[in-house]
Amino acid sequence: MTVAISATGLWTPTDSVTNAELVASYNAYVERYNAEHAEEIAAGARPALLPSSVEFIEKASGIKHRYMLDKAGSLDVSRMVPRIPERPNSELSLMAEASVNAARQALESAGRDPGDIGAVICSCSSLQRPYPALAIEVQNELGAGGFGYDMNVACSSATFAIQNAHDIVKAGHARSALVVNPELTTGHLNFRDRETHFIFGDAAVAILVERADVAPPGAWAILGTKLKTQFSNNIRNNFGFLNRADEAHRDDPDKLITQQGRKVFREVVPLVSEMILQHMAELELKPSDMRRLWLHQANSNMNRLIAERVLGHEASQDEAPTVLDVYGNTAGAGSIIAFHSHRADLKTGDKGLICSFGAGYSAGSIFVQKAA
Ligand code: CO8
């Protein structure tokens, strides 16, 4: 039985932040910090902080802009954390709300009633709470049937969940499965860290996975899925429920995302390129069969190298589109935003690849073909 991606949905918050705005906030923080510690810095007892720059960000990452849940709180130098008021248990939680917004769009574009859904997977880098599962809250809010559960695979959250949804449908446990991937990344971003302050943006995506025989026209048949993991500490976040048991370290910077970006770059490019080429060989696909690559959106230079290794030539924007410039790195949502935004022009029979990679390390490849 063939399984297909019937539709996708995308939600972003309305607050829009350019590199110039982000850098102005960071540099104001640096000035304040260096002034506050001027004596120690002059005595060589504490290193001065260095400013960030728009030119560096654009050249090193390709990021120009991102959407954020709360621009004012995130850029306010005395705070540098989004202001997100806690909601009572009687209200829909924020991550469920973002997921439902993206899900409704996907359901509408497929002409699907929520009652047709037999499984909901909420998969993302940072879950708002351990339980009840966000997926069950989303299932309830939509009026979907079946069952729901949460997953957590950093930047590969969406592709890993697509494989699960594929397998659920293929095994006959549901005819339609909904994947939601709410990535509220600014809640776990250290806006005082020069290495990472510019990287992430907030977004939520939804992906409807169904039996191909019930999918609407123009759905994308899943030709094959492959997942890979290899342990690395180079992208790490130590936030968790045990933090409260050690007050001395509860609020240390490692309770937000930290990464060795250069090492990640060097190690992940070959890991992902080889995985894609191996998966292509298993599916008897040639580089020339690939009409488009919808790659994870962490760094435009990484994507240029991966696309070149996979296609055998430098990829055009048409062959491997970038959405980083508008959305920044939206963790698991990145490759799906690329797929959502850049697939309408493809024709029946065209083949492509959705591919994610990130912390873990984790990587997922999903080959798809446009149906009639
Ligand atoms: N402004 C100006 N200069 C800077 C800045 C800055 N902001 N930051 C660093 N520099 C300087 C450095 O000090 C260094 O200077 P020098 O040469 O004098 O020592 C120079 O610039 C070069 O620094 P780097 O080597 O660090 O710069 P890179 O070219 O490697 O670029 C990047 C840094 C952009 C981070 C790049 O390495 C990169 O993108 N790497 C890949 C990272 C990646 O793919 N990560 C995946 C993360 S996604 C994921 O899985 C996380 C999931 C969880 C998400 C939710 C969390 C919020």
Side-chain angles (χ1 to χ4, degrees):
M1 181 217 300
T2 306
V3 179
I5 296 179
S6 292
T8 54
L10 164 66
W11 171 87
T12 53
T14 51
D15 282 6
S16 151
V17 181
T18 63
N19 285 345
E21 292 171 305
L22 199 63
V23 166
S25 157
Y26 180 81
N27 288 352
Y29 157 70
V30 167
E31 265 185 47
R32 183 192 279 200
Y33 177 95
N34 288 346
E36 267 170 26
H37 300 96
E39 274 179 31
E40 276 178 88
I41 291 169
R46 181 191 284 263
L49 294 184
L50 297 170
S52 185
S53 96
V54 171
E55 294 69 32
F56 169 83
I57 296 171
E58 243 177 84
K59 190 156 174 281
S61 71
I63 296 165
K64 297 180 180 166
H65 172 274
R66 72 286 290 146
Y67 293 100
M68 282 189 192
L69 280 170
D70 178 44
K71 177 176 180 172
S74 304
L75 301 194
D76 175 350
V77 183
S78 60
R79 180 178 171 86
M80 299 180 91
V81 175
R83 196 178 301 277
I84 302 171
E86 201 170 284
R87 296 180 178 185
N89 291 353
S90 55
E91 269 181 37
L92 190 64
S93 58
L94 181 61
M95 288 192 81
E97 183 181 288
S99 304
V100 165
N101 288 338
R104 289 212 166 106
Q105 212 187 89
L107 294 177
E108 195 183 317
S109 85
R112 192 65 71 230
D113 191 81
D116 300 333
I117 305 297
V120 178
I121 305 173
C122 176
S123 186
C124 55
S125 302
S126 306
L127 286 158
Q128 188 173 346
R129 61 164 187 261
Y131 44 83
L134 280 149
I136 302 175
E137 194 180 3
V138 170
Q139 175 198 22
N140 181 57
E141 181 68 14
L142 290 172
F147 60 94
Y149 61 87
D150 291 350
M151 290 173 58
N152 179 236
V153 203
C155 286
S156 288
S157 290
T159 53
F160 274 54
I162 290 173
Q163 175 168 298
N164 274 24
H166 169 276
D167 295 351
I168 286 168
V169 172
K170 188 132 188 148
H173 300 308
R175 223 169 51 147
S176 302
L178 177 72
V179 171
V180 289
N181 172 224
E183 295 289 9
L184 307 186
T185 62
T186 57
H188 255 156
L189 182 53
N190 185 351
F191 287 100
R192 295 188 177 89
D193 175 31
R194 183 170 176 253
E195 312 288 318
T196 52
H197 79 107
F198 57 88
I199 295 179
F200 293 96
D202 297 320
V205 292
I207 308 113
L208 185 62
V209 177
E210 305 190 292
R211 264 173 38 189
D213 61 346
V214 302
W220 289 80
I222 296 176
L223 303 177
T225 66
K226 193 180 186 73
L227 311 180
K228 185 175 173 66
T229 52
Q230 180 183 303
F231 186 69
S232 167
N233 275 324
N234 289 333
I235 315 168
R236 188 159 175 136
N237 181 338
N238 285 328
F239 179 80
F241 76 100
L242 293 178
N243 298 152
R244 63 190 284 273
D246 185 353
E247 294 87 339
H249 296 290
R250 198 180 47 202
D251 299 319
D252 287 354
D254 71 325
K255 307 305 180 297
L256 299 168
I257 183 171
T258 57
Q259 72 165 356
Q260 308 285 327
R262 184 45 57 115
K263 282 192 191 160
V264 174
F265 195 116
R266 264 198 253 113
E267 292 171 6
V268 167
V269 167
L271 184 142
V272 169
S273 314
E274 280 154 30
M275 170 182 157
I276 295 172
L277 289 169
Q278 195 190 336
H279 196 190
M280 276 172 76
E282 285 165 15
L283 296 171
E284 296 180 0
L285 292 168
K286 299 183 297 297
S288 56
D289 294 329
M290 288 296 103
R291 178 63 187 84
R292 193 160 286 165
L293 308 179
W294 298 282
L295 299 179
H296 174 52
Q297 304 284 315
N299 183 298
S300 55
N301 300 319
M302 268 174 118
N303 285 7
R304 188 171 44 75
L305 290 173
I306 292 169
E308 193 172 334
R309 288 186 187 192
V310 169
L311 298 177
H313 61 262
E314 190 162 334
S316 63
Q317 174 67 15
D318 181 61
E319 289 171 309
T322 304
V323 298
L324 258 180
D325 49 344
V326 177
Y327 298 94
N329 182 341
T330 52
S335 58
I336 307 300
I337 297 179
F339 179 65
H340 177 85
S341 312
H342 294 282
R343 70 170 191 268
D345 59 317
L346 298 200
K347 300 185 191 64
T348 301
D350 280 345
K351 298 188 183 89
L353 166 72
I354 300 170
C355 181
S356 69
F357 37 91
Y361 298 128
S362 58
S365 63
I366 318 269
F367 283 93
V368 291
Q369 179 171 30
K370 186 163 174 160

